[in-house]
Amino acid sequence: MLSELSEWFWQERLWFPKGLGWADLEDRDGRVYAKGRDLWVALPIAVSFLIIRQIFERTVATPLASLLGVKETLRLKAPHNPTLESYYCNVTKTPTQTSVLSLCKQTGHSERQVQRWFRRRRNQDRPSLLKKFKEASWRFTFYLLAFIAGLASLIDKPWLYDLKEMWEGFPVLTILPSQYWYYMIELGFYGSLLFSVASDVKRKDFKEQIVHHVATILLISFSWCVNYIRAGTLIMLVHDSADYFLESAKMFNYAGWRNACNYIFIVFAAVFIVTRLVIFPFRIIYCTWVYPVTIYEPFFGYYFFNGSSWSYSIAVRFLTNNVSNCAN
């Protein structure tokens, strides 16, 4: 059943222009092409990122937080109470007045004592500023380095300046070592974010973040498998160009440096508007929608890639519009 489904899903007429197929992407004459099995490399990279992150947060982020004045928040712990703990974990963290009265009878505590217990218990679960700072500093470091590395790998490529070059010879495009590692490292990083999402600070857009990480992994993987690599590298570069500004604004916000946070956030907003709302939809996506049909007839992969890219763009805008995350 699964083999039949896989065979149907990967049939050539879905993913390639007419007359081309998987055989055209077989390595020959020293020319290397992207293959689906390459994506397994991202799994150990993701695990490595989890380890590197722990080392980074202890040896770099924590001393930096101390330098900027971010301190661990000390909170009073709620006394151990099995009845209240069970209600807190299994029913609700904010009991109604009727529930409070019922809990008073079960525990022998006063109404005020029960309310104080729940207040302290909720405060225990609130992430500290130090934890938020360490997460933001880790993402800032990666996005900044990824942007620099992506720019370095594309600076001498013609499709960075003339977007039509993305489709020159498509889909028979050789893969360069810089493209290979750029893809695998980005894919590994988002894989590590998906692995760590349960232990990271849970924000209001927790579910949306999971959808974002999964969509990013699927898009990167898909574009690799069907050799949309030139377009993929440009899209990753455009998205990384603004993210490190947002994370640095968060870092200064957690440190209480309000003016620095506001100034950086203004820069982030400007870069975001130019890259995500102008360059991405009106240059890159325009070139993936309009120019390819002048070379070959539209096919399923063409619609799938462009539809997914638009959906991803809308999702990213939705997440970023939640500017309250800068202060959470």
Side-chain angles (χ1 to χ4, degrees):
M1 179 67 178
L2 290 177
S3 61
E4 292 177 357
L5 180 61
S6 176
E7 184 178 348
W8 173 85
F9 183 79
W10 292 111
Q11 56 185 311
E12 293 178 343
R13 67 182 183 84
L14 293 180
W15 305 110
F16 292 95
K18 188 176 180 179
L20 295 170
W22 299 111
D24 295 293
L25 300 184
E26 292 295 329
D27 296 347
R28 62 176 67 87
D29 301 326
R31 297 167 66 89
V32 179
Y33 300 94
K35 302 173 186 63
R37 62 177 179 270
D38 295 335
L39 298 175
W40 288 109
V41 174
L43 189 58
I45 292 177
V47 175
S48 299
F49 269 129
L50 294 175
I51 298 172
I52 294 171
R53 175 178 174 176
Q54 294 300 317
I55 298 173
F56 174 87
E57 290 186 353
R58 287 186 174 90
T59 61
V60 178
T62 300
L64 180 61
S66 178
L67 184 64
L68 295 178
V70 181
K71 297 180 180 179
E72 185 71 76
T73 306
L74 297 177
R75 298 190 177 100
L76 294 174
K77 291 186 177 181
H80 178 65
N81 189 305
T83 302
L84 298 181
E85 183 68 26
S86 176
Y87 190 91
Y88 179 88
C89 295
N90 302 319
V91 183
T92 180
K93 298 178 181 180
T94 54
T96 62
Q97 183 64 26
T98 303
S99 299
V100 169
L101 294 176
S102 175
L103 291 170
C104 289
K105 295 179 181 180
Q106 296 178 46
T107 60
H109 294 325
S110 67
E111 181 179 337
R112 185 175 180 181
Q113 287 175 319
V114 171
Q115 291 174 338
R116 184 190 299 120
W117 188 94
F118 274 94
R119 185 167 58 253
R120 288 183 178 179
R121 187 64 182 83
R122 287 194 296 270
N123 285 337
Q124 279 182 228
D125 284 349
R126 289 176 56 196
S128 66
L129 286 179
L130 180 59
K131 181 176 176 61
K132 292 179 180 180
F133 180 91
K134 290 191 294 185
E135 288 186 12
S137 61
W138 165 247
R139 291 192 295 267
F140 161 78
T141 302
F142 175 81
Y143 289 136
L144 177 60
L145 294 178
F147 174 72
I148 294 173
L151 188 61
S153 68
L154 290 171
I155 196 69
D156 61 341
K157 305 302 185 295
W159 58 87
L160 179 63
Y161 310 99
D162 182 3
L163 297 184
K164 292 181 179 179
E165 290 288 334
M166 285 192 293
W167 308 110
E168 186 66 31
F170 176 84
V172 189
L173 304 173
T174 55
I175 184 71
L176 302 175
S178 59
Q179 294 172 317
Y180 175 88
W181 288 111
Y182 188 25
Y183 252 81
M184 294 304 115
I185 289 174
E186 286 273 357
L187 185 58
F189 176 74
Y190 283 103
S192 72
L193 289 184
L194 188 61
F195 292 154
S196 65
V197 70
S199 59
D200 287 345
V201 174
K202 290 189 177 181
R203 307 181 187 278
K204 296 177 182 178
D205 59 353
F206 174 74
K207 294 180 180 178
E208 290 82 358
Q209 287 289 349
I210 294 179
V211 172
H212 169 267
H213 297 335
V214 172
T216 302
I217 291 170
L218 291 177
L219 276 173
I220 293 176
S221 301
F222 164 77
S223 64
W224 177 267
C225 289
V226 294
N227 226 359
Y228 278 51
I229 294 172
R230 292 182 179 179
T233 53
L234 289 176
I235 291 173
M236 290 190 294
L237 180 69
V238 164
H239 282 74
D240 287 339
S241 63
D243 288 341
Y244 61 89
F245 285 113
L246 178 61
E247 298 303 332
S248 61
K250 290 181 181 181
M251 291 168 60
F252 283 111
N253 182 57
Y254 300 146
W257 295 35
R258 303 298 180 186
N259 289 335
C261 172
N262 292 336
Y263 293 143
I264 294 174
F265 194 80
I266 291 172
V267 176
F268 159 75
V271 174
F272 181 89
I273 291 171
V274 172
T275 57
R276 306 283 186 90
L277 305 184
V278 178
I279 295 177
F280 180 63
F282 295 109
R283 292 283 293 152
I284 297 178
I285 296 300
Y286 175 83
C287 198
T288 61
W289 266 115
V290 177
Y291 184 69
V293 297
T294 66
I295 307 174
Y296 46 74
E297 295 181 3
F299 55 101
F300 175 77
Y302 161 83
Y303 293 114
F304 182 86
F305 177 77
N306 285 287
S308 300
S309 297
W310 268 113
S311 300
Y312 178 78
S313 176
I314 293 171
V316 168
R317 291 181 203 178
F318 172 79
L319 287 172
T320 310
N321 283 340
N322 187 9
V323 293
S324 61
N325 279 346
C326 186
N328 289 336

